[in-house]
Amino acid sequence: MKAPPEILAVWNKFHDFPMETLTKAWFYSRSGDKKQRTVALMKEHKAQYGITGNCFDLAIWLLDEFKRDGIEAYPIGNELGTEEAHAALIALDVHGNRYLCDLGDQWLQPVLIESTHEAYTPEKQSGFFPAADIQVMARQGEVEIVYHRPGGKQSRQTYDTTPVAEADFWQAGEFSQNHVYPKPLVEVRLPYKEETAHWEFDNWKSFLSTTEGLHLDQPLATLEEWVDRIGQKTGFDREFLLDSLNFYKQMKKESGR
């Protein structure tokens, strides 16, 4: 179910890239009409501030890297053009077999979704998603992922595997970047004991998901404390964190939530 070395080599360039909406808020408040950043601008921001971006940013950047390395890939998405949109990619090996690549949800590695491939199995697999085993249920035009989490908990997610034209994908990205949800989100893959765990900052709470279960962080009272904690997990620039978190604090104040 694992991707071949040439696909993994590109994917692994992003192994320490968090998914986050802080950049969306930060760039929204200081950009012109165009909110979806180009790959060149994303690289500049990464070099200067350590920042990465949301699922559209990561998918666009990953797609560019696949192209540069001569690997065929295309965007996919669910509910594109809405505030619930999610973006990912499918990469193809030299035989045309498809692999789901989702940096936005912080997968550990791509996974085979070609049901006719000899290596394909719908049985539970480990090592693809932080703190969960997965099952891949490939069907015509879509793939359902079943996540098996500690304590017997299950969740499901369905991806539409229909290729999205790049122009339409960029348009969906532009819509997404123009709509800042008032609750900040940061997701990071972090080493924990013998595994890679998933740390999340979501609406002013944070926690670590592991195969042992959920570890809740201590609540924090001040913006500066959040800057320190998020900075420690991500390596993001301190002034960037102050600016973006202040933006969200102001949104929360204005919305009354």
Side-chain angles (χ1 to χ4, degrees), residues 147-158:
Y147 303 91
H148 297 267
R149 304 180 189 277
K153 295 179 180 178
Q154 284 189 22
S155 60
R156 295 171 182 264
Q157 181 177 11
T158 299

PDB file of all heavy atoms in Angstrom, residues 147-158:
ATOM      1  N   TYR A 147     -10.836   5.409   9.752  1.00  0.00           N
ATOM      2  CA  TYR A 147      -9.781   5.623  10.742  1.00  0.00           C
ATOM      3  C   TYR A 147     -10.133   4.857  12.023  1.00  0.00           C
ATOM      4  O   TYR A 147     -11.228   5.037  12.573  1.00  0.00           O
ATOM      5  CB  TYR A 147      -9.648   7.114  11.068  1.00  0.00           C
ATOM      6  CG  TYR A 147      -9.366   7.980   9.876  1.00  0.00           C
ATOM      7  CD1 TYR A 147     -10.413   8.548   9.138  1.00  0.00           C
ATOM      8  CD2 TYR A 147      -8.065   8.242   9.462  1.00  0.00           C
ATOM      9  CE1 TYR A 147     -10.167   9.351   8.039  1.00  0.00           C
ATOM     10  CE2 TYR A 147      -7.807   9.054   8.367  1.00  0.00           C
ATOM     11  CZ  TYR A 147      -8.862   9.591   7.653  1.00  0.00           C
ATOM     12  OH  TYR A 147      -8.612  10.383   6.564  1.00  0.00           O
ATOM     13  N   HIS A 148      -9.218   4.027  12.471  1.00  0.00           N
ATOM     14  CA  HIS A 148      -9.397   3.276  13.712  1.00  0.00           C
ATOM     15  C   HIS A 148      -8.488   3.890  14.771  1.00  0.00           C
ATOM     16  O   HIS A 148      -7.266   3.767  14.707  1.00  0.00           O
ATOM     17  CB  HIS A 148      -9.050   1.806  13.500  1.00  0.00           C
ATOM     18  CG  HIS A 148      -9.933   1.108  12.516  1.00  0.00           C
ATOM     19  ND1 HIS A 148     -11.061   0.408  12.896  1.00  0.00           N
ATOM     20  CD2 HIS A 148      -9.867   1.023  11.159  1.00  0.00           C
ATOM     21  CE1 HIS A 148     -11.643  -0.093  11.819  1.00  0.00           C
ATOM     22  NE2 HIS A 148     -10.938   0.267  10.756  1.00  0.00           N
ATOM     23  N   ARG A 149      -9.101   4.549  15.736  1.00  0.00           N
ATOM     24  CA  ARG A 149      -8.351   5.297  16.741  1.00  0.00           C
ATOM     25  C   ARG A 149      -8.338   4.539  18.067  1.00  0.00           C
ATOM     26  O   ARG A 149      -9.083   3.566  18.247  1.00  0.00           O
ATOM     27  CB  ARG A 149      -8.956   6.688  16.901  1.00  0.00           C
ATOM     28  CG  ARG A 149      -9.031   7.467  15.574  1.00  0.00           C
ATOM     29  CD  ARG A 149      -9.617   8.847  15.730  1.00  0.00           C
ATOM     30  NE  ARG A 149      -9.882   9.476  14.445  1.00  0.00           N
ATOM     31  CZ  ARG A 149      -8.971  10.112  13.716  1.00  0.00           C
ATOM     32  NH1 ARG A 149      -7.727  10.227  14.174  1.00  0.00           N
ATOM     33  NH2 ARG A 149      -9.281  10.663  12.553  1.00  0.00           N
ATOM     34  N   PRO A 150      -7.497   4.970  19.005  1.00  0.00           N
ATOM     35  CA  PRO A 150      -7.428   4.284  20.305  1.00  0.00           C
ATOM     36  C   PRO A 150      -8.794   4.210  20.986  1.00  0.00           C
ATOM     37  O   PRO A 150      -9.639   5.088  20.832  1.00  0.00           O
ATOM     38  CB  PRO A 150      -6.463   5.161  21.102  1.00  0.00           C
ATOM     39  CG  PRO A 150      -5.611   5.824  20.078  1.00  0.00           C
ATOM     40  CD  PRO A 150      -6.512   6.061  18.906  1.00  0.00           C
ATOM     41  N   GLY A 151      -8.989   3.118  21.728  1.00  0.00           N
ATOM     42  CA  GLY A 151     -10.244   2.956  22.449  1.00  0.00           C
ATOM     43  C   GLY A 151     -11.388   2.466  21.598  1.00  0.00           C
ATOM     44  O   GLY A 151     -12.556   2.530  22.010  1.00  0.00           O
ATOM     45  N   GLY A 152     -11.093   2.000  20.392  1.00  0.00           N
ATOM     46  CA  GLY A 152     -12.136   1.473  19.515  1.00  0.00           C
ATOM     47  C   GLY A 152     -12.919   2.518  18.749  1.00  0.00           C
ATOM     48  O   GLY A 152     -13.899   2.197  18.063  1.00  0.00           O
ATOM     49  N   LYS A 153     -12.499   3.779  18.820  1.00  0.00           N
ATOM     50  CA  LYS A 153     -13.215   4.840  18.103  1.00  0.00           C
ATOM     51  C   LYS A 153     -12.944   4.756  16.600  1.00  0.00           C
ATOM     52  O   LYS A 153     -11.824   4.465  16.183  1.00  0.00           O
ATOM     53  CB  LYS A 153     -12.804   6.213  18.626  1.00  0.00           C
ATOM     54  CG  LYS A 153     -13.191   6.467  20.068  1.00  0.00           C
ATOM     55  CD  LYS A 153     -12.735   7.845  20.520  1.00  0.00           C
ATOM     56  CE  LYS A 153     -13.119   8.101  21.975  1.00  0.00           C
ATOM     57  NZ  LYS A 153     -12.633   9.416  22.445  1.00  0.00           N
ATOM     58  N   GLN A 154     -13.964   5.019  15.814  1.00  0.00           N
ATOM     59  CA  GLN A 154     -13.838   5.034  14.358  1.00  0.00           C
ATOM     60  C   GLN A 154     -14.380   6.339  13.792  1.00  0.00           C
ATOM     61  O   GLN A 154     -15.302   6.931  14.343  1.00  0.00           O
ATOM     62  CB  GLN A 154     -14.626   3.883  13.725  1.00  0.00           C
ATOM     63  CG  GLN A 154     -14.012   2.515  13.832  1.00  0.00           C
ATOM     64  CD  GLN A 154     -14.764   1.493  12.998  1.00  0.00           C
ATOM     65  OE1 GLN A 154     -15.463   1.831  12.053  1.00  0.00           O
ATOM     66  NE2 GLN A 154     -14.623   0.225  13.354  1.00  0.00           N
ATOM     67  N   SER A 155     -13.777   6.767  12.685  1.00  0.00           N
ATOM     68  CA  SER A 155     -14.332   7.868  11.909  1.00  0.00           C
ATOM     69  C   SER A 155     -14.103   7.554  10.433  1.00  0.00           C
ATOM     70  O   SER A 155     -13.295   6.690  10.090  1.00  0.00           O
ATOM     71  CB  SER A 155     -13.705   9.209  12.297  1.00  0.00           C
ATOM     72  OG  SER A 155     -12.309   9.189  12.080  1.00  0.00           O
ATOM     73  N   ARG A 156     -14.822   8.237   9.577  1.00  0.00           N
ATOM     74  CA  ARG A 156     -14.744   7.963   8.147  1.00  0.00           C
ATOM     75  C   ARG A 156     -14.628   9.262   7.360  1.00  0.00           C
ATOM     76  O   ARG A 156     -15.167  10.286   7.770  1.00  0.00           O
ATOM     77  CB  ARG A 156     -15.987   7.189   7.668  1.00  0.00           C
ATOM     78  CG  ARG A 156     -16.107   5.796   8.284  1.00  0.00           C
ATOM     79  CD  ARG A 156     -17.440   5.142   7.977  1.00  0.00           C
ATOM     80  NE  ARG A 156     -17.534   3.834   8.619  1.00  0.00           N
ATOM     81  CZ  ARG A 156     -17.261   2.685   8.007  1.00  0.00           C
ATOM     82  NH1 ARG A 156     -16.912   2.684   6.725  1.00  0.00           N
ATOM     83  NH2 ARG A 156     -17.357   1.540   8.658  1.00  0.00           N
ATOM     84  N   GLN A 157     -13.948   9.172   6.250  1.00  0.00           N
ATOM     85  CA  GLN A 157     -13.804  10.317   5.359  1.00  0.00           C
ATOM     86  C   GLN A 157     -13.814   9.817   3.920  1.00  0.00           C
ATOM     87  O   GLN A 157     -13.134   8.839   3.597  1.00  0.00           O
ATOM     88  CB  GLN A 157     -12.491  11.057   5.638  1.00  0.00           C
ATOM     89  CG  GLN A 157     -12.253  12.278   4.764  1.00  0.00           C
ATOM     90  CD  GLN A 157     -10.976  13.003   5.141  1.00  0.00           C
ATOM     91  OE1 GLN A 157     -10.167  12.494   5.905  1.00  0.00           O
ATOM     92  NE2 GLN A 157     -10.778  14.185   4.596  1.00  0.00           N
ATOM     93  N   THR A 158     -14.584  10.460   3.083  1.00  0.00           N
ATOM     94  CA  THR A 158     -14.665  10.061   1.680  1.00  0.00           C
ATOM     95  C   THR A 158     -14.044  11.145   0.803  1.00  0.00           C
ATOM     96  O   THR A 158     -14.367  12.327   0.935  1.00  0.00           O
ATOM     97  CB  THR A 158     -16.121   9.828   1.258  1.00  0.00           C
ATOM     98  OG1 THR A 158     -16.676   8.781   2.062  1.00  0.00           O
ATOM     99  CG2 THR A 158     -16.202   9.409  -0.204  1.00  0.00           C
TER     100      THR A 158
END
